[in-house]
Amino acid sequence: MRLPLTLLTLAACVTIPAAAQEVGPALDPGSMTGWAGGAAAQHSLRHGGTRRAAPMSAKEASARAKCARRYTVASNLGMQHPTTRRLFRLCRAAGYY
C-alpha cells in the first residue's frame, strides 16, 4: 500500500510542472505584439491623445525671434541705446521676459 501511494505522489509531482509550462493560445506572443507594437499608440492618438498647439503667425514668430536676440542687441549697442531700450520694453509688453 505504501509503494503505490509513493509512486502516485511522485508521478503527480513530475507531471504538474510539465503541464504548467504549456502556454497555449491564450498567451501567444505573436498575437500580443499587435497591441504592444503600435496599435496602442494609434488608439491613443485617435481617441484624444496629445493635442498640437495652434500654429504661430509670422508676426508672432518674428517677435519671438527678435526678443530671443535682445541680449545680443544689448551687448552690441549698449543698454542705454534707444533701440535697445525700446526692444526690451516691447518684449516685456509681449510677455517675453
Side-chain angles (χ1 to χ4, degrees), residues 60-84:
E60 187 180 355
S62 174
R64 178 180 268 187
K66 287 176 184 176
C67 288
R69 291 192 304 264
R70 67 185 179 269
Y71 290 105
T72 305
V73 172
S75 69
N76 290 338
L77 299 177
M79 281 301 291
Q80 300 305 319
H81 195 276
T83 303
T84 305

Side-chain angles (χ1 to χ4, degrees), residues 13-54:
C13 290
V14 171
T15 57
I16 289 175
Q21 301 297 321
E22 196 64 35
V23 175
L27 298 174
D28 184 22
S31 66
M32 291 170 55
T33 57
W35 180 255
Q42 292 296 324
H43 175 76
S44 65
L45 288 175
R46 276 194 312 267
H47 299 288
T50 59
R51 296 179 189 232
R52 295 183 181 184

